[in-house]
Amino acid sequence: MKKINNIFLKKKILIYGLGKSGISTYNFLREKAEIYLFDDNLINNFRFKNKSLSFSKILKSNFDFIIISPGIDFSKCRLSKYLKQNYSKIYTDLDVFYSFFNNDSVTITGTNGKSTTAQIVYEVLRQEKIDVRIVGNIGNPILSEKNITNETVFVIEASSYQLDYSKIFRANIAVILNITPDHLERHGNFNNYAQAKFKLIKNQEKRTFSFVDLNSPYINKFIKKNRLNSKIIKIKKNSIKTKL
C-alpha cells in the first residue's frame, strides 16, 4: 500500500483529550515531536502541567496537527470554535499509527457486533501462531502496543467517531458489519453517521479488500454510487459473493 511516512515527526502538535487514547499518543510522540496537551477536565491538565497549555494560550497558538480523542465532540467541547477553525489539522491516533507503521490490519466497524467479530478474528489469527494485536474500542489504544515487528497484524475495532476524525488511515482489510441509526446526537443525522462508517472503505487503495453486509440497503446503495478501489466481498450468512 502507499504510505504517508512520519508526517508527524518534529511537528508542533496539540493532543486534545487525556484519556487512554490521548495519553498513549503522548507517550508515543513525546520524543518525536513538540507536544502540548489539553483536556476539558482541569484535573487531567494538572497531571501533565509541564506540557499542558491553558485555554487562552491555545487560542493564540498555531499547531501543525491536532490529535483529538474520539470521545470528544468538537461541536460541543471547550475548544469547539478553535477546532472548527482548524478542522483540516485534526487527526487521530489511527492516523499516527498509519504514518509510522506499515503493518497489515483488519479494521472492523458497524453499528452492532464489532467487539464480537473483532474477538473472533483475533482468536483465529492467534491460533495460527500469528503475532496479532487486538486494539481500538475492544482493546488497548493502538499506540500503546509494544514490540511491534513487520509481521505484527492488527485487528482494530473502529468507532464512527474515530473514522470521522481520521484523515490518512487506511486498512488492508475493512469490514462493515451493518449500519443502522445510532449516535445521531453526535453525528447530527443518519447520513453523517453512515458516511463516517463508509470512510473505512472509501479511503482504501488498490489490492485491498472490503467485507460488507449484503442485506444492508444503505451499504449496497453506497457501493453502487461510488467508485471504490478495494475488492468488495459481499457477505450473506455463509455465502460469499464478490463484485469484480
Side-chain angles (χ1 to χ4, degrees), residues 14-26 37-40 44 66-74 77 83 90-94 137 141 159-166 186:
L14 174 67
I15 296 175
Y16 185 17
L18 298 177
K20 289 195 301 182
S21 172
I23 291 173
S24 66
T25 302
Y26 167 62
L37 308 174
F38 185 78
D39 193 283
D40 285 351
N44 288 336
I66 302 170
I67 311 299
I68 188 170
S69 294
I72 292 175
D73 184 347
F74 83 92
C77 62
L83 293 179
I90 295 177
Y91 289 75
T92 70
D93 59 344
L94 290 182
N137 282 1
S159 69
S160 59
Y161 302 158
Q162 281 180 304
L163 297 173
D164 196 21
Y165 287 145
S166 295
R186 168 77 172 262

Side-chain angles (χ1 to χ4, degrees), residues 77-92:
C77 62
R78 194 171 176 206
L79 290 179
S80 177
K81 185 176 180 180
Y82 183 82
L83 293 179
K84 290 176 182 178
Q85 293 170 343
N86 293 275
Y87 187 77
S88 63
K89 297 180 180 181
I90 295 177
Y91 289 75
T92 70

Side-chain angles (χ1 to χ4, degrees), residues 128-167:
E128 293 298 318
K129 309 302 181 183
I130 293 172
D131 176 17
V132 58
R133 316 292 175 87
I134 187 167
V135 296
N137 282 1
I138 189 173
N140 295 322
I142 196 166
L143 294 176
S144 67
E145 291 296 319
K146 307 295 183 184
N147 303 316
I148 298 170
T149 72
N150 291 334
E151 303 303 317
T152 305
V153 175
F154 288 83
V155 177
I156 304 169
E157 181 188 335
S159 69
S160 59
Y161 302 158
Q162 281 180 304
L163 297 173
D164 196 21
Y165 287 145
S166 295
K167 288 186 170 63

Side-chain angles (χ1 to χ4, degrees), residues 104-109 113-134 138 153-157 173-175 177 211 235:
D104 289 337
S105 67
V106 181
T107 305
I108 299 164
T109 195
K114 296 187 294 297
S115 296
T116 300
T117 304
Q119 189 66 46
I120 291 171
V121 173
Y122 168 76
E123 292 296 340
V124 169
L125 294 176
R126 190 174 65 86
Q127 289 178 18
E128 293 298 318
K129 309 302 181 183
I130 293 172
D131 176 17
V132 58
R133 316 292 175 87
I134 187 167
I138 189 173
V153 175
F154 288 83
V155 177
I156 304 169
E157 181 188 335
I173 299 175
V175 181
L177 299 173
F211 291 82
I235 300 175

Side-chain angles (χ1 to χ4, degrees), residues 6-21:
N6 303 333
I7 64 171
F8 301 98
L9 274 177
K10 299 181 180 179
K11 300 297 184 179
K12 185 177 180 181
I13 299 172
L14 174 67
I15 296 175
Y16 185 17
L18 298 177
K20 289 195 301 182
S21 172

Side-chain angles (χ1 to χ4, degrees), residues 204-219:
Q204 282 185 287
E205 298 170 344
K206 293 181 179 179
R207 296 182 293 279
T208 60
F209 298 87
S210 299
F211 291 82
V212 299
D213 177 16
L214 179 63
N215 292 324
S216 171
Y218 305 111
I219 295 175

